[in-house]
Amino acid sequence: MDNLAQALMEGLAQATTFDALVFMIFGTAVGYVFGILPGLQSITAMSVFLPLTYWWTPAQAMYFFAGIIGAAGNGGAVTAIVLNIPGTAQNAATTLEGYPMTRAGRAVFALNLSASASWLGAVFGVVVLVALVPVFLPFLLSFGPAETFWVAVFGLVTMVLAVAGSPAKGLVAIAIGVFLAIIGMGGPRLPVPRFTFGSSYLLDGLEIVVVIIGFLVVSECLLQVAGVWARGRESGIATNAVARVGDDWKQQMRDGWKAPFRHPGIFLRSSALGTAVGALPGVGGTVAQFLSYNLAVATTKDASQIGKGAEDALVATEAATNSKEGGALFPTLLFGIPGNAEMALVLAAWQIHGLEPGPSFMTTHGALAWALVFGLLFSNLVASVGTAAASPWLARLPGFDMGILAPAVLVASLMSAYTVRSNFLDLGLLLGIGVFGAFLRLYGYSVIGVVIGFVLGDVIERNFYTALQSSLGDYTVFIGSPVAAGLAAITAIAALVCGAKVVRGRREAADAAGFSRGAILFGALMLVAALALLWQAMAPGWRGGIVAPGVLGLAALLLALVLVQAWRGREATSGPEAAATLRLAALLVAALGVALWLGFLAGMAAFLAAFWIGVQRRSPGRAVAMVAIFALALPLGFSWLVDSPLWRGVVAPLLPGVMGGEVMPAP
């Protein structure tokens, strides 16, 4: 207990230093901007900036990520209230009462209510976390590799139970992530190459930054750009149809901040519900918001105002938005299980710095854990105050154009991944993962499940083999202690529930895309790949362990089940995004060819110019100006910040030094 209090005080002391405040404010600004822009969520910001953490200390990375996580929900509420478009998925319920307030001329009131309830909800979640940590910390001291193995497996199973849509597809996504974590040197005894296909590039495994940016950012941007390509430029434009701000905006600001205190009951109930939901791995803020909204609808004193700008219902949704972050920190800090997608990236940042997430983290790196907690609280305060101060101007937010934003973020993500090792093979892998992830999204597979499977896959395999080695191959080690036996029983029950859900799985409206002909072809290709890899893992002489064939066998079985379901419900639906995604991938491949020859800046400039002029038919003058900003100025500034030669390519010996290029070595 004394060590816990000491770590808490150390974390609080760190949070008040100038260095910490700078990184928290930087992260808050980034998170707020990405939260405001629909489609570019907190995980997008964290993924794009994840490579920067290579040059930072772990504490600096935690303060920066805390700023992003705390501010994104506040930023997302702005567009939900003003434009009726949730900036992040967790702000979906905000539109139900927030936008009607805007149409009634009360946008400033709604923005300030959101800021106040979000900040107070964050305080509630952190207080609950601080109160519960001392209760669970003694229990964690009994954890060994067997217990850690079961905790990680339980986290993956609950992820499947939490995701919407087909549970079979959720399991397939997680299996893909675990398999990707297996690639490279490893095994139960002496490390051996696994699924490297003779490539030295894959011996060290897949770079975690490339995997995360590819699945979470590049795939999303590809679909956004492909959607604009397929449906026309106007499809990506959103404008503010209601720009009127009442003359009483100062009074609206004061009333908005007082709103949670006028409804203390619904605020406390929604905050508690948000914290509890956040503690469930994989459930997320969207579920917390809608559950809190439904609770407000059921308990409101004036049902006639629901859907017309009900004050208590908006308090409920906004309190749950940020209180759930305190709950999500609970499994992340105590068990090493990401409570949501953002926490999965926090775990990835720890792994980048060689820190092992898990039950021992709070005892070995307590100050770092509390840095994340206090950073989250501070960023919420800054974002809430910023929203309140800027609410008269935010109420007149003009809109956005995804035809400009999505390609720019796509270039930024490629640049971010490339700066880690300045390896063009990373760019090729990133594009391949991005295209694969785009089709996973398109056909109903969870890319979040892939990322969490990748983050926890190494934890599962390493602790599985470590436990077996400690017991000299005796599998009873996994139920050898009361804690391990209890965790095994809970995991088995969850697995049975998950299995029943898979078998009983019915076709749902949200899963309709999974029954198109394109989805059947995509699933069949994945099944063929899984069977081919399984054949390799089962071949005589395989020394890569039993985890790989087990995961591949499960994936193949589930893919077969998905194909059977899809074939029975198949529809001859067209997929314009699928065709546009392939065309976009071809354009990016050509751009990477230019980048390899003349440098990254030239390649990305060529890509953006080709898309904005050739596809969207924008005026050459405007397109060139945007290219100068997004493909030249920003990358040059970023390359100066991390000291990466983005302008260099590999040019032919006849043209040495062109565009700063390097001469190819003699064969």
Side-chain angles (χ1 to χ4, degrees), residues 80 89 110 133 163 253 302 404 439 597 657:
V133 165
V163 297
M253 291 178 68
D302 188 2
I404 295 176
F439 280 96
W597 188 261

Side-chain angles (χ1 to χ4, degrees), residues 568 596 661:
R568 290 175 178 173
L596 178 64

Side-chain angles (χ1 to χ4, degrees), residues 417-431:
Y418 179 63
T419 55
V420 174
R421 300 191 298 183
S422 298
N423 189 333
F424 273 101
L425 292 179
D426 285 347
L427 286 179
L429 177 63
L430 182 66
L431 179 57

Side-chain angles (χ1 to χ4, degrees), residues 394-416:
L394 291 174
R396 302 182 180 93
L397 192 70
F400 62 92
D401 186 348
M402 289 308 296
I404 295 176
L405 292 175
V409 173
L410 180 58
V411 169
S413 63
L414 292 169
M415 170 189 66
S416 183

